[in-house]
Amino acid sequence: MKVSVGDVVLPGDYCEEISAAGEKSKVIVGPGLQKESNHVYVTKAGVLKKKNPNTYWVDYYQKRYTPARGENVIGIVIQKAGDIYRVDLGSSMSAALSYLSFEGATKKNRPNVQIGDVVYAKTLVGSKDMEPELVCVDSYGKKGRLGVLTDGFLFKCSINLIRKILNPSCPLLDSLKNEWPFELAAGMNGRIWIKAKTMRETIALGNAILGAEYLSDEEIKAMCANIASILAGHVA
Amino acid sequence: MRDVYISHCEKDFLQKIVTGGRRLDGRNYNESRKLNISFGSEYGSCIVSLGETKVLSQVSCEVVQPKQIRPNEGILFINLEITPIAGQQFEANRQTDLTVYLNRLLEKCYKDSKCIDLESLCIVVEEKVWSLRVDLKVLNHEGNLIECASIATLTSLAHFKRPDVTRSGDKVIIHTLAEKDPIPTVLYHYPVCLTFAIFNDLLISDPNFLEESVCMSNMDEGGNRGGILVVGMNQYKELCLLDLTGAAIDNSNIVHRALLVAADRCKELVDLVKSTIVDDDTARQKRVKKNFSDIITTEHMLSLNKKDLSICLKNYNVEDIQSPQDEEMEDEDVKPEPSKYDVVPSLPQTAEIVAQKGASTWIEISSGSEED
């Protein structure tokens, strides 16, 4: 079926708008779209979106992660094998994280990472079918925010929710940060690590994040206020 | 089946929170998740959801030759399958330890407890008997599969009706539903399996996936700190099945406590199952069309915004949140108030707490605040 931007689309639909735009200038075809002979076909069920000038993609609901290059992800170390750690990202394959891709690590000076630890890392190599490769340093060899995450709590959520809370226009984190202090790391693989002073605050934080998934901006603000009042004990 | 990895921080946090007297999703120790039973268009098909754990069940029947040793008894066969739809750790068409274990438990609970009158399934002795087959498909695995699966088995067995037969000489006529009213299955008693997770000395009913996994890993690490206890009981508080692992084996105290909790819960569950079946029957008699599409109502589509969050405060209630109508509230949010904790981005997409001066006085929680 022929569809246009903003429609709910299903796999097999095609969009002539994209092909037409492609004749005039270069077009970026994002996730959920595939070029096949003379049409651009939809391969996922979702909403067709466009960003000016010429970027198209399908916004679809997904829980399973397909690795992509340059994304910040949270993984669990599951094995030490030779000179790499195996890290579970929730994708089809476990990822490889070299001993040497930590800040200040050398062959002699190995980082202290145990099996079962949670690492916040960046994907260096990531594609649908290949083993992803992770690093915990940037291109200058600095760790920045990456590395092992200690304490706190890790939970899973849909990938859409991650995108939603990381969106600069989303009021969730802005509202929460005024209520109580916390640390948070959001991995694009659908995992969120949170840490607050007390367990109750940590749970409240997780509650607020998970609860925000299907709420509008206004509702999110109301929910944050509600949770904060529960936390403060105003609501019996 | 691929392994599910649980990180140290999840384990430690859960461990701490349970010993602290709470649960991750805000339930009490003895509280179960929300149970929902919906029926399909045919007799004996239902979907049972316990929180986010969902099991589809279908009973079918056929005429077969009875077993040599039991010539006047029908046959009951229970088959549970877990496919990748239930969770990404499962593989298609492969028997895992989990499926074998669950099948065995269900068989113990429903076949060995003799809850079904198998003799009533006999048509001609040594020649023809009804064979009932219960097919269970796990649609989503969020912990406590056995409880969900057992409720599904019980509901679909109790809901099922087999076609009526008449014998004339050597001939056996199986009547269609239009010709003669179908016959319900005879159940002597209604057994249900319940799961308890054991943390040190604490008993937790209806554990979710994380609680279950942490319990299992505690058990694997040795020591008698964790374990899973499965109790099968009927509405008369008679024990039908007991499956002990880990700490439950050498601590009879825990088992006794679990049995007391299970007795009440089983009664409750069986009453619920019976009443939903009665409701469904009266609806069917009024020729109300029923099928699984009823599950997909507008409310249900919106219920994608899960009512049971996996991480939840005790007093949190989705209905409490309404879009702010009064402008006062909005002002409050929009104004960049001077916050107690200045959170400034030090790197792109990160934030850091810079000032944490003194003890905070405006959140009173540290005093072990148990709300009721």
Side-chain angles (χ1 to χ4, degrees):
Chain A
M1 207 178 87
K2 211 158 72 180
V3 291
S4 52
V5 172
D7 285 354
V8 172
V9 294
L10 293 172
D13 290 346
Y14 60 92
C15 182
E16 282 187 346
E17 201 181 318
I18 304 176
S19 331
E23 280 166 17
K24 282 179 223 145
S25 59
K26 272 194 180 163
V27 167
I28 298 168
V29 172
L33 293 170
Q34 199 174 334
K35 192 176 175 291
E36 206 76 58
S37 62
N38 47 357
H39 282 304
V40 176
Y41 284 98
V42 175
T43 57
K44 296 269 188 185
V47 180
L48 186 63
K49 298 252 172 122
K50 179 192 181 182
K51 191 181 181 202
N52 283 327
N54 278 322
T55 310
Y56 296 89
W57 76 97
V58 179
D59 188 17
Y60 51 87
Y61 182 84
Q62 186 161 323
K63 281 177 168 173
R64 201 163 300 192
Y65 178 61
T66 32
R69 191 186 141 87
E71 288 183 335
N72 287 346
V73 292
I74 296 177
I76 303 168
V77 178
I78 55 173
Q79 197 186 14
K80 292 180 185 178
D83 54 356
I84 58 158
Y85 298 111
R86 295 235 150 267
V87 180
D88 172 55
L89 295 181
S91 54
S92 62
M93 240 176 273
S94 62
L97 172 63
S98 167
Y99 277 118
L100 298 174
S101 53
F102 285 86
E103 187 179 277
T106 57
K107 284 252 174 192
K108 289 249 174 67
N109 179 21
R110 291 192 159 183
N112 182 23
V113 180
Q114 304 300 324
I115 290 171
D117 276 355
V118 176
V119 288
Y120 188 46
K122 213 176 196 60
T123 47
L124 189 68
V125 175
S127 76
K128 206 167 61 182
D129 310 304
M130 264 165 39
E131 186 189 72
E133 200 182 317
L134 304 177
V135 284
C136 280
V137 284
D138 61 11
S139 47
Y140 302 105
K142 288 277 178 282
K143 70 172 188 283
R145 296 285 141 199
L146 305 174
V148 178
L149 303 170
T150 45
D151 294 339
F153 182 61
L154 179 76
F155 63 93
K156 296 182 182 109
C157 62
S158 77
I159 287 166
N160 299 55
L161 179 59
I162 301 277
R163 287 204 291 259
K164 183 171 180 174
I165 64 167
L166 288 181
N167 191 333
S169 68
C170 176
L172 177 71
L173 296 181
D174 279 334
S175 327
L176 285 178
K177 75 181 184 192
N178 294 327
E179 306 287 359
W180 70 93
F182 60 86
E183 284 180 73
L184 179 143
M188 286 305 292
N189 58 339
R191 288 182 186 178
I192 300 180
W193 173 86
I194 48 175
K195 183 182 172 183
K197 268 190 186 162
T198 63
M199 284 194 295
R200 194 142 180 272
E201 282 176 9
T202 313
I203 292 186
L205 186 60
N207 184 350
I209 294 169
L210 285 178
E213 180 149 20
Y214 300 98
L215 300 184
S216 66
D217 286 0
E218 290 307 313
E219 285 169 328
I220 287 177
K221 284 179 192 165
M223 178 193 67
C224 291
N226 178 25
I227 286 181
S229 66
I230 294 176
L231 202 55
H234 294 324
V235 179
Chain B
M1 189 171 120
R2 292 198 295 165
D3 291 332
V4 183
Y5 301 101
I6 305 289
S7 63
H8 289 321
C9 68
E10 283 167 277
K11 230 183 268 179
D12 295 344
F13 189 80
L14 195 86
Q15 206 63 267
K16 262 192 262 167
I17 205 149
V18 169
T19 23
R22 296 204 184 85
R23 283 173 85 169
L24 206 55
D25 41 12
R27 285 185 282 160
N28 294 327
Y29 285 158
N30 288 336
E31 205 174 330
S32 290
R33 289 171 290 177
K34 220 191 273 162
L35 179 74
N36 194 11
I37 301 171
S38 38
F39 294 101
S41 58
E42 278 178 47
Y43 285 119
S45 67
C46 67
I47 292 181
V48 173
S49 60
L50 187 66
E52 288 296 306
T53 303
K54 289 185 172 68
V55 174
L56 166 71
S57 170
Q58 168 75 59
V59 179
S60 52
C61 65
E62 60 176 341
V63 179
V64 294
Q65 206 174 9
K67 286 179 190 152
Q68 291 277 311
I69 41 163
R70 300 206 187 281
N72 61 342
E73 281 187 8
I75 296 165
L76 174 68
F77 182 72
I78 299 176
N79 178 42
L80 178 132
E81 269 176 54
I82 309 181
T83 48
I85 202 173
Q88 62 170 314
Q89 68 267 34
F90 300 107
E91 286 166 52
N93 302 324
R94 192 153 324 160
Q95 278 251 326
T96 59
D97 289 350
L98 182 68
T99 44
V100 174
Y101 170 72
L102 290 175
N103 269 315
R104 184 71 202 111
L105 281 186
L106 287 176
E107 261 180 25
K108 263 191 209 165
C109 187
Y110 292 95
K111 270 171 108 169
D112 300 356
S113 76
K114 304 210 164 69
C115 65
I116 291 187
D117 181 13
L118 289 175
E119 282 178 18
S120 72
L121 298 176
C122 178
I123 304 167
V124 183
V125 176
E126 285 183 357
E127 275 174 33
K128 287 183 181 69
V129 291
W130 284 113
S131 154
L132 294 187
R133 184 190 164 95
V134 187
D135 278 297
L136 297 151
K137 278 247 155 66
V138 179
L139 301 181
N140 196 25
H141 179 17
E142 257 319 311
N144 203 0
L145 263 185
I146 182 67
E147 186 167 334
C148 195
S150 82
I151 297 169
T153 313
L154 181 70
T155 315
S156 57
L157 275 175
H159 185 245
F160 182 68
K161 290 180 179 176
R162 64 175 191 275
D164 201 355
V165 289
T166 41
R167 283 175 60 188
S168 54
D170 284 351
K171 270 208 288 186
V172 173
I173 306 160
I174 300 174
H175 297 284
T176 59
L177 297 186
E179 285 168 9
K180 265 191 171 181
D181 277 345
I183 307 165
T185 331
V186 180
L187 287 169
Y188 292 133
H189 59 98
Y190 290 67
V192 190
C193 298
L194 300 179
T195 313
F196 294 90
I198 301 160
F199 283 88
N200 296 326
D201 244 357
L202 298 167
L203 263 183
I204 287 181
S205 51
D206 189 18
N208 63 21
F209 187 73
L210 189 63
E211 287 165 343
E212 235 175 42
S213 318
V214 172
C215 253
M216 295 302 253
S217 74
N218 277 348
M219 200 168 74
D220 294 340
E221 280 164 17
N224 351 324
R225 295 189 294 131
I228 301 276
L229 173 60
V230 180
V231 178
M233 212 180 243
N234 63 17
Q235 80 267 42
Y236 309 118
K237 303 185 180 179
E238 292 165 339
L239 196 61
C240 302
L241 161 112
L242 199 56
D243 184 76
L244 312 161
T245 47
I249 296 174
D250 44 31
N251 194 340
S252 59
N253 186 18
I254 288 180
V255 180
H256 278 295
R257 262 161 50 209
L259 289 180
L260 287 178
V261 179
D264 295 334
R265 167 89 176 136
C266 284
K267 182 97 182 32
E268 235 169 75
L269 279 178
V270 171
D271 288 346
L272 184 79
V273 167
K274 279 182 176 167
S275 67
T276 44
I277 289 174
V278 169
D279 288 350
D280 183 70
D281 261 357
T282 43
R284 268 169 216 266
Q285 270 163 14
K286 285 177 194 154
R287 314 249 164 201
V288 180
K289 278 250 165 19
K290 280 237 174 185
N291 50 40
F292 284 137
S293 67
D294 296 344
I295 306 173
I296 314 167
T297 54
T298 353
E299 201 215 336
H300 191 84
M301 278 192 287
L302 293 174
S303 83
L304 263 180
N305 61 29
K306 296 191 225 166
K307 297 266 166 15
D308 327 300
L309 300 170
S310 57
I311 306 172
C312 196
L313 283 170
K314 218 172 194 174
N315 288 338
Y316 178 71
N317 190 0
V318 188
E319 272 80 44
D320 286 352
I321 303 158
Q322 282 135 11
S323 299
Q325 288 114 2
D326 47 340
E327 298 206 337
E328 221 176 303
M329 192 170 220
E330 243 175 82
D331 283 351
E332 208 179 323
D333 280 326
V334 172
K335 249 190 269 170
E337 283 184 355
S339 69
K340 302 243 171 173
Y341 306 93
D342 257 12
V343 181
V344 291
S346 56
L347 285 166
Q349 298 193 356
T350 61
E352 197 175 9
I353 304 158
V354 281
Q356 274 200 10
K357 287 170 204 134
S360 61
T361 48
W362 51 294
I363 304 175
E364 290 136 21
I365 29 172
S366 47
S367 55
S369 52
E370 260 307 339
E371 333 102 302
D372 24 35

